[in-house]
Amino acid sequence: MRRSLFSRLFVFLAVVGGVGTARVAAAAEEEASCAVDKHEGFSDADADGVEQIVCRAVREAGRSGRFRVHLGKLGSKVILTLVERAPDGDRDEQVILSGLDEVSVAAPRLVEASAEQKPVAETVTVNNVVGEETRTPKKRASHVHAWMGMIGAGGAGAIGAGANLAISAGSERWSFVGDLRLAGDAFNKPASVAGAIVTLGAVDVARDGDADFSYASLTGGARHHFAGTDFSPFAGLGLGVDFIARKQTVMHHGGYVSEDLKGKAGLAGYAEIGLDLMRTHVVGGAITLRADMPAFAVEERKPDPTNDRRYLQRSTYSPIFSAGFALRF
């Protein structure tokens, strides 16, 4: 009777122990596991290969817990996600690959990001860049135009004709402009030389004394259009270098007197307003009014009206005002 009782007790303990051991083993297996549970659009063979690579990276990193791997498609791209199950909520890290052949490169990065709870982008090195990270970001194209036109410019009682060349790049509302302007003697002499070259010397290049002043300006600035329509007013500001020269009376050795252009170069700012025409066409134009404000004064020398043998020298500050029309290409 006692032996039968002991036998039954032994069997009971063995069963309970076996069940407990099985539950502990199952719990341990549940506590530390890794598998692919979503792989829409991929074959079972591909999913098995991804599981082996990613889960091996998890084990090599010494991670314990429940991990699930998701595979998805976005066009030709592969979306690889590593999800860590946790009582306080799931944490997932994701990377976009060019193909399944990049899984072996991306897997250690996903595990590192999951372990250290940081973005996958911060795990990149020179040896583990994946497809999406090599993609060239797309940018909107800028509108680039060349400008060529004629201007009339003057300041402090002197005026002259000239030309301007410019290039602009930007959007329909904002653009950056680089501008070269020549007027008076600064334009006459290069134009005469160019005419002589084209006409093989038939045009006289001697133009000394023809202009009362000389103006050259190389500037860069920004321009804002107030509308995105075919005809739009605009305003602009910029900074650059101006050269301004005025005709002055000079006494030379030997007693003779001549009038020469004497000038100065320096920093200058400008402001402009205008109207842009036919903006939606391949070739358009613009009417502009501009004021240059130099940060320097020009030295001026003139005969003393009270004494023919004396000359008066003074500094004259002269902003340059110009108006013109330019073609846009």
Side-chain angles (χ1 to χ4, degrees):
M1 183 68 178
R2 290 181 179 179
R3 182 177 299 178
S4 177
L5 182 60
F6 281 118
S7 298
R8 291 179 181 179
L9 181 60
F10 177 78
V11 172
F12 174 77
L13 292 176
V15 171
V16 172
V19 172
T21 302
R23 288 182 177 178
V24 170
E29 183 180 357
E30 182 70 14
E31 190 65 25
S33 63
C34 178
V36 173
D37 63 353
K38 292 182 181 180
H39 57 91
E40 293 85 354
F42 297 92
S43 66
D44 292 340
D46 287 336
D48 290 341
V50 171
E51 180 177 311
Q52 292 179 33
I53 294 173
V54 176
C55 294
R56 180 174 180 176
V58 171
R59 292 192 299 271
E60 289 179 347
R63 301 300 311 284
S64 61
R66 297 176 59 203
F67 294 90
R68 294 296 177 264
V69 182
H70 298 167
L71 275 175
K73 275 192 174 183
L74 182 62
S76 61
K77 304 293 184 180
V78 176
I79 304 174
L80 180 63
T81 306
L82 179 64
V83 181
E84 182 179 4
R85 306 289 190 187
D88 56 345
D90 295 346
R91 295 188 296 270
D92 64 89
E93 302 294 341
Q94 187 177 91
V95 68
I96 299 178
L97 312 176
S98 295
L100 288 176
D101 55 329
E102 291 185 335
V103 171
S104 59
V105 177
R109 294 182 55 185
L110 287 174
V111 176
E112 179 184 347
S114 177
E116 300 181 12
Q117 298 185 20
K118 62 183 181 181
V120 179
E122 295 182 6
T123 65
V124 66
T125 68
V126 295
N127 297 319
N128 62 8
V129 178
V130 294
E132 185 66 12
E133 294 168 328
T134 64
R135 181 181 64 86
T136 302
K138 293 184 178 180
K139 296 182 179 180
R140 290 184 293 180
S142 295
H143 302 289
V144 180
H145 298 286
W147 301 78
M148 181 174 64
M150 302 299 294
I151 64 169
I159 60 173
N164 82 294
L165 299 172
I167 186 169
S168 65
S171 65
E172 65 177 16
R173 291 300 183 97
W174 287 97
S175 58
F176 295 99
V177 183
D179 187 274
L180 172 65
R181 294 182 171 228
L182 302 173
D185 196 65
F187 171 73
N188 292 342
K189 287 187 175 180
S192 299
V193 172
I197 294 174
V198 172
T199 62
L200 301 178
V203 175
D204 185 11
V205 299
R207 300 293 300 274
D208 292 343
D210 285 355
D212 291 332
F213 93 121
S214 181
Y215 162 66
S217 177
L218 180 62
T219 58
R223 180 178 290 177
H224 174 65
H225 287 81
F226 294 99
T229 55
D230 203 26
F231 296 84
S232 172
F234 63 85
L237 294 172
L239 197 65
V241 177
D242 280 8
F243 171 79
I244 303 172
R246 296 289 309 277
K247 183 175 288 187
Q248 301 182 36
T249 304
V250 180
M251 178 178 287
H252 298 274
H253 295 291
Y256 71 93
V257 177
S258 67
E259 290 186 331
D260 296 329
L261 286 166
K262 301 294 181 181
K264 190 175 183 180
L267 188 67
Y270 76 85
E272 66 174 353
I273 58 173
L275 179 64
D276 206 341
L277 311 171
M278 301 173 64
R279 299 181 66 200
T280 60
H281 294 69
V282 175
V283 177
I287 302 170
T288 60
L289 297 174
R290 171 168 151 168
D292 286 38
M293 303 297 176
F296 58 90
V298 178
E299 298 294 331
E300 187 176 7
R301 188 182 186 191
K302 291 185 176 181
D304 187 347
T306 62
N307 189 338
D308 294 340
R309 298 183 178 181
R310 293 178 56 191
Y311 288 86
L312 300 177
Q313 187 167 339
R314 63 178 182 176
S315 296
T316 302
Y317 178 78
S318 177
I320 302 296
F321 298 95
S322 61
F325 173 78
L327 291 175
R328 181 188 65 248
F329 303 94

